[in-house]
Amino acid sequence: MNLVMGQYKKNNTIIHMLDPRLKLYFLVLYVFLTLFFTNLAPMILSVLVGCGVVYLSKIDIFTILKSIHGFLFVIVFFTVVSAVTFSSVSPVLLGIRLIMIMVVSTVFSMTTKPYHMLDALRQGLHLTEELSMTVAIAFGFLPGLSNEVDRIRTAAASRGVDMSEAGFFVKIRDFVPLVGPLFRISIAKAGKLSDAMDIRNYDADTEKTRVYELVFKKRDKVAAFFVAGYVFLVIILQILI
């Protein structure tokens, strides 16, 4: 399945060092501006900004392509739906928007430590402890589930089910029987994680202490200035062009 979203990749780039709250704010704004500002000029600017973020994060292009491949079915599905329903949004442009959102989301997950992501959700978006923990755990589960899909497909291939040479729709049909084992594995993983948290007396309602408090530094303020400039330019281009 080649899903890399959710895997943290340690590095010393400027994107890695930024405050996770700022990265989360940028991701939310980027998704909103990319999806709802439909003119060509804002979209080109968003693509350039997304490519700039990838460059600064120093994540190699093959990792990005693996991330896109992991969500290829979702991208193709929405693109086809847009074409079939004769939507006013160009299917090609919609596909580009979805690809860029997947790319920037991958950069966010690969440059943000899991506990920093949890703090960003709690302190940045002011989500509850339960919801923040659920989202953080879901991100952490993605790579593991991707590996489990590969294991199940390998086991199925050893029994004569080979999807490597099949067409797109045949692959979808053959993937359906894999959902059951994947669901059981997911439930088993969730049960083990729940037991581990119970053993450690985890309580979402208890006030939490933190070793490191999130504080906006000078580099975060400079990055926030560029994010504000990007939002301003997109709005101006959407209005004027």
Side-chain angles (χ1 to χ4, degrees):
M1 195 172 178
N2 297 322
L3 188 60
V4 297
M5 183 179 291
Q7 298 180 12
Y8 172 71
K9 185 177 181 181
K10 186 177 180 180
N11 208 330
N12 196 32
T13 69
I14 182 63
I15 303 297
H16 284 75
M17 293 185 292
L18 288 177
D19 191 290
R21 294 171 295 177
L22 178 61
K23 290 189 280 188
L24 183 59
Y25 292 149
F26 170 73
L27 176 62
V28 173
L29 288 171
Y30 188 86
V31 172
F32 176 79
L33 296 176
T34 304
L35 283 180
F36 295 102
F37 283 35
T38 57
N39 288 353
L40 184 60
M43 193 198 73
I44 293 176
L45 177 60
S46 294
V47 171
L48 293 176
V49 169
C51 293
V53 169
V54 173
Y55 175 77
L56 292 176
S57 67
K58 295 184 180 179
I59 298 177
D60 62 271
I61 188 64
F62 296 105
T63 302
I64 296 298
L65 292 177
K66 286 175 64 178
S67 175
I68 295 173
H69 181 267
F71 289 95
L72 188 60
F73 173 75
V74 177
I75 296 171
V76 172
F77 175 78
F78 283 104
T79 303
V80 171
V81 169
S82 176
V84 172
T85 57
F86 300 100
S87 172
S88 58
V89 180
S90 170
V92 175
L93 296 182
L94 177 62
I96 295 175
R97 291 191 182 100
L98 293 176
I99 289 174
M100 293 310 302
I101 289 174
M102 296 300 178
V103 168
V104 175
S105 300
T106 300
V107 172
F108 171 71
S109 67
M110 297 190 70
T111 59
T112 308
K113 296 179 180 179
Y115 58 89
H116 284 169
M117 185 182 299
L118 181 60
D119 288 338
L121 293 170
R122 284 191 299 214
Q123 301 179 43
L125 298 183
H126 300 287
L127 301 181
T128 62
E129 177 71 21
E130 295 90 340
L131 185 56
S132 300
M133 183 64 72
T134 301
V135 175
I137 291 174
F139 264 95
F141 265 35
L142 287 176
L145 291 179
S146 174
N147 294 333
E148 292 297 339
V149 170
D150 289 337
R151 288 178 57 188
I152 295 172
R153 291 180 62 179
T154 302
S158 67
R159 292 169 174 83
V161 181
D162 187 8
M163 294 183 287
S164 60
E165 301 297 332
F168 180 74
F169 293 101
V170 176
K171 287 183 179 180
I172 296 177
R173 183 199 65 190
D174 291 339
F175 185 79
V176 172
L178 307 183
V179 175
L182 182 62
F183 182 76
R184 290 195 297 270
I185 292 172
S186 302
I187 295 298
K189 284 180 175 291
K192 291 179 181 178
L193 179 60
S194 176
D195 293 339
M197 295 174 72
D198 287 338
I199 291 172
R200 290 166 176 80
N201 294 319
Y202 175 80
D203 185 3
D205 297 327
T206 303
E207 184 67 24
K208 304 295 187 298
T209 59
R210 298 175 178 84
V211 177
Y212 302 105
E213 291 290 339
L214 296 180
V215 178
F216 277 97
K217 299 180 181 179
K218 183 178 180 180
R219 59 173 175 263
D220 300 310
K221 296 177 182 179
V222 173
F225 174 79
F226 283 103
V227 171
Y230 159 67
V231 174
F232 177 77
L233 283 176
V234 169
I235 294 175
I236 292 299
L237 291 173
Q238 177 71 19
I239 295 174
L240 297 181
I241 299 178

